[in-house]
Structures are given as C-alpha cells and as structure tokens.
Amino acid sequence: GAVVSQHPSRVICKSGTSVKIECRSLDFQATTMFWYRQFPKQSLMLMATSNEGSKATYEQGVEKDKFLINHASLTLSTLTVTSAHPEDSSFYICSARNWVGTGNTSPLHFGNGTRLTVT
Amino acid sequence: KQEVTQIPAALSVPEGENLVLNCSFTDSAIYNLQWFRQDPGKGLTSLLLIQSSQREQTSGRLNASLDKSSGRSTLYIAASQPGDSATYLCAVGAAGNKLTFGGGTRVLVKP
C-alpha cells in the first residue's frame, strides 16, 4: 500500500531557531502534498498545499514566510518552521495522494507526524 | 465554508458492543468523505473512503454510510475490541483535494 514517511518524528528546538520537516512518498509519486497542523485535543487544520515544481498555496491565516514549503521532487516535500516560537509547538502532519490513473478515487495517505516543541 | 461536526466527542463502551460514530457536514457539494483512525501521538490511518456517488463502504468490521442530501455519514464498528480504542476522524473532501476535518470522536473500548 501507499506509504508516506515523515521525519523527524519528534524535535525539540530553542526559540528563534529553524526546523525542517521532511515528507516523502515512498512507493508512489505525488505531485501534490498537504501540510496540516494539529493542536492538542483538536482536529487537523490544513496549512498549505505543496505543489511539485511551483509555489505552495497557503490557507488563510498561515504565514508563508514563517512556514516555508519546498516541493523539489515528486516524492519529497519539506516544511521549514523559521524563527520558531513556543506558540509554534504543535503536531505537524503531511499527506499525499497517489494520482496515477486514479483521479479523486484514491484516499489521502498520511505520514506519522512530527511533534515540534519549541522551548 | 464547510464545517464538519462529530458527535459524540467521546465514547466509552464495553468490549463486544457495536460502535456508532456520527459525522455531519454543512455543504453537501463534496467529492468524497474519508474516515481515519488516529492513535495518541501518531499520524492518521485511512479506514474507509466513500466517493460522493456512493452510499456506503465496508471493510471487515467497519461500515461507513453517506447521505449527502442530509449531510451525514455514520461509521459502524461491529463487535468492538480494546484495540479499537483510538480517535476517529471524519474528513470531507472538496475541490483541490482539500480535506476538512471534524473534531474527532475519542473511543475507549473497555475489556
């Protein structure tokens, strides 16, 4: 089955530093990946849509200069949290869909998430 | 703007009972609806995907129904087991592959 790998699973960083999170589709190509954020005991909120070879599309209220997204290949998207602050502490999850010959019929597959703690 | 609501927020049942989880959405113009399972501190596992043209999907002990006109989906889990304890999320798919998630139902199955 389709597998999405996310790394790291946990990261603790100091306020003001930057953190990069990787999302890889292991056995399929994903022209589009999605980044979500989940605060404790809350549901997932879409942050941005990552498009291979072009700029990401950010949801309203998400700072594009703070959350840098790069989708350099069909299997890798990265999210960089720049100048992290304690309020950025959250659970970040990426997802991707295998588009080959399936259009809207295939489910989104999610990574295992990254727990970011900013001290 | 699509809004997705899941009721109840939490549910506790003895092992063996059937589980019924509800999801409602405000905009019936959806592409699909997907049910996920999330274990504490983990990512999401896709359980069932129902296309907008379908009325239900089944996988093992799981059955999900979809009624677009009334904006509702129900996930049934038959003969619950302690291993079914998790948070269950429903998500409505729209154009551009965007998912809108409900708040989830935390399920505890007591042995």
Side-chain angles (χ1 to χ4, degrees):
Chain A
V3 177
V4 174
S5 173
Q6 194 171 333
H7 178 80
S9 59
R10 286 180 181 272
V11 58
I12 300 173
C13 70
K14 292 185 177 180
S15 186
T17 61
S18 295
V19 174
K20 180 185 284 187
I21 303 169
E22 293 187 347
C23 180
R24 294 180 185 273
S25 55
L26 296 184
D27 54 357
F28 64 97
Q29 293 182 333
T31 56
T32 304
M33 293 184 176
F34 304 89
W35 287 95
Y36 293 83
R37 179 166 57 184
Q38 185 178 34
F39 290 106
K41 297 189 177 180
Q42 294 186 26
S43 193
L44 280 74
M45 297 297 294
L46 179 65
M47 298 175 65
T49 302
S50 171
N51 303 298
E52 188 269 335
S54 64
K55 291 182 179 181
T57 305
Y58 290 81
E59 295 300 301
Q60 191 173 11
V62 178
E63 300 176 59
K64 62 179 181 181
D65 294 330
K66 181 168 186 61
F67 299 100
L68 300 179
I69 292 173
N70 183 275
H71 196 152
S73 76
L74 286 171
T75 59
L76 174 63
S77 175
T78 61
L79 167 67
T80 301
V81 182
T82 63
S83 187
H85 290 283
E87 56 264 33
D88 297 325
S89 298
S90 186
F91 193 56
Y92 294 86
I93 310 178
C94 70
S95 71
R97 170 177 276 130
N98 183 359
W99 275 106
V100 178
T102 57
N104 273 334
T105 60
S106 61
L108 273 176
H109 298 279
F110 284 76
N112 280 331
T114 297
R115 173 74 60 194
L116 170 63
T117 302
V118 184
T119 61
Chain B
K1 179 183 175 183
Q2 179 73 270
E3 292 183 4
V4 182
T5 304
Q6 289 186 247
I7 295 174
L11 184 60
S12 179
V13 299
E15 182 177 3
E17 271 200 14
N18 297 329
L19 287 163
V20 181
L21 308 179
N22 298 301
C23 173
S24 62
F25 46 94
T26 55
D27 186 351
S28 61
I30 67 171
Y31 278 38
N32 51 49
L33 186 144
Q34 196 165 350
W35 282 93
F36 296 90
R37 168 186 173 137
Q38 185 177 31
D39 292 290
K42 302 292 185 181
L44 276 65
T45 301
S46 178
L47 298 175
L48 291 168
L49 169 69
I50 311 175
Q51 301 299 333
S52 62
S53 58
Q54 298 174 325
R55 294 193 64 88
E56 70 174 345
Q57 279 288 332
T58 298
S59 176
R61 294 184 293 114
L62 276 60
N63 174 276
S65 65
L66 174 63
D67 185 341
K68 268 195 353 175
S69 60
S70 65
R72 295 182 182 184
S73 176
T74 302
L75 176 67
Y76 300 90
I77 303 178
S80 63
Q81 304 168 358
D84 293 330
S85 299
T87 295
Y88 291 83
L89 296 163
C90 78
V92 172
N97 304 302
K98 293 185 178 181
L99 291 184
T100 302
F101 282 84
T105 295
R106 293 191 308 280
V107 171
L108 175 63
V109 180
K110 299 178 181 178

